[in-house]
Amino acid sequence: MPEPDEMRAAEGHAIAARLREELARRRISRQALADMARISLSTLEKALSGSRQFTLATVIRLEEALGTRLRDGAAAPETAPAPDTAPEHMGAYSRAAVHWIEADYLTLRASFGEPGAIYAYVTRIFWDDAAGHLRFTEAERIDGAFAQKGHVSMPNLSGHTYLATCEAGQHRLITLGRPTRDGCMFGLLATLHAGTGSQLIPIASPVAFVPRGQTKESGTGLVRPGDPAFAAFRTILDRAINDDFCRFRQ
């Protein structure tokens, strides 16, 4: 007869297998599931890898978040409604309160590789039903391998919007001020730029988010002085500094 510890380990492996299946079927990330269940990502990762046993409290939270049974013989919880309030660390905003920001935005920033040029691409901000908070993805980038995606924080205290990417501990952050009357948002992007060889250099640039289709010039890619869209894009991007949405100091 198996020992109690072996039985617990076997049950843990079965729960982990069911969780991985649910993550794949629903196409949600481990971070999203951790947020939904109000547990740390570290706790979830260790339990899924088998380096830590699932506690009963953790399993119950996961079952309630997913609305499905993970334990053999456990009564299936009632299907929980999709969360409509973001986690506290993202600002605890409700879906109704941030509906206005959901859109595709023409995104403008300085080119990191070609002085004087502007880099244009598209950022989509949307509500993730499964995770219960806003997310963003980038598209139409000429360097598509470096397209970012992540979560959106909107705390009431600062009144700013934060688009954060965190992959394997590496962060990129866009800080945007309150929208203008025409729905544009301006602020600062801070990230890493590939330097000589494998060197990565911290770099920052003013950034502009313009609702897609609002400007006559809406092309994407590297826009150089003399290109048809350059003058319009330069005027828009300069508002980040000229209208005091961000500042540089040395």
Side-chain angles (χ1 to χ4, degrees):
M1 179 178 294
E3 294 294 325
D5 285 347
E6 292 176 346
M7 294 174 65
R8 288 187 60 197
E11 183 182 25
H13 291 323
I15 291 173
R18 291 192 185 102
L19 274 176
R20 285 192 288 269
E21 182 181 345
E22 289 295 325
L23 288 168
R25 184 172 63 83
R26 302 179 188 217
R27 298 182 181 179
I28 59 176
S29 67
R30 294 185 178 187
Q31 180 66 70
L33 178 57
D35 292 340
M36 291 163 60
R38 302 297 192 267
I39 62 175
S40 70
L41 178 60
S42 174
T43 295
L44 179 59
E45 294 278 11
K46 289 177 180 178
L48 285 172
S49 68
S51 62
R52 175 185 293 177
Q53 291 287 347
F54 284 96
T55 66
L56 179 59
T58 297
V59 174
I60 289 174
R61 287 191 176 193
L62 289 166
E63 288 178 337
E64 290 175 344
L66 293 169
T68 192
R69 181 175 59 199
L70 299 173
R71 297 165 290 165
D72 287 331
E78 294 184 7
T79 302
D84 63 356
T85 302
E88 186 174 353
H89 69 272
M90 295 183 192
Y93 51 80
S94 68
R95 182 173 191 178
V98 298
H99 179 68
W100 59 269
I101 202 173
E102 294 183 70
D104 289 350
Y105 295 88
L106 176 66
T107 306
L108 307 175
R109 65 160 171 82
S111 167
F112 296 155
E114 187 170 327
I118 293 174
Y119 190 36
Y121 55 95
V122 174
T123 302
R124 180 184 178 221
I125 298 178
F126 62 97
W127 184 269
D128 186 322
D129 288 313
H133 59 75
L134 290 168
R135 288 190 177 278
F136 76 92
T137 58
E138 295 177 350
E140 298 186 34
R141 289 184 53 148
I142 53 176
D143 56 348
F146 296 96
Q148 304 287 312
K149 60 183 178 180
H151 70 266
V152 180
S153 295
M154 297 182 69
N156 286 324
L157 289 176
S158 72
H160 282 68
T161 297
Y162 304 88
L163 278 63
T165 298
C166 178
E167 294 184 0
Q170 183 170 300
H171 290 73
R172 190 199 75 163
L173 181 67
I174 295 177
T175 304
L176 299 171
R178 296 181 184 277
T180 60
R181 289 184 178 181
D182 52 7
C184 297
M185 295 181 288
F186 302 89
L188 188 71
L189 177 151
T191 187
L192 297 175
H193 174 56
T196 304
S198 61
Q199 183 182 17
L200 294 175
I201 304 170
I203 193 168
S205 167
V207 64
F209 278 51
V210 182
R212 195 79 187 270
Q214 184 171 299
T215 61
K216 183 183 300 184
E217 305 292 349
S218 58
T220 57
L222 190 62
V223 183
R224 300 177 173 89
D227 288 346
F230 181 80
F233 285 179
R234 181 79 270 168
T235 298
I236 293 170
L237 186 55
D238 284 348
R239 292 182 62 186
I241 297 293
N242 296 340
D243 293 355
D244 206 25
F245 285 99
C246 63
R247 301 178 185 179
F248 288 110
R249 291 290 184 267
Q250 288 184 305

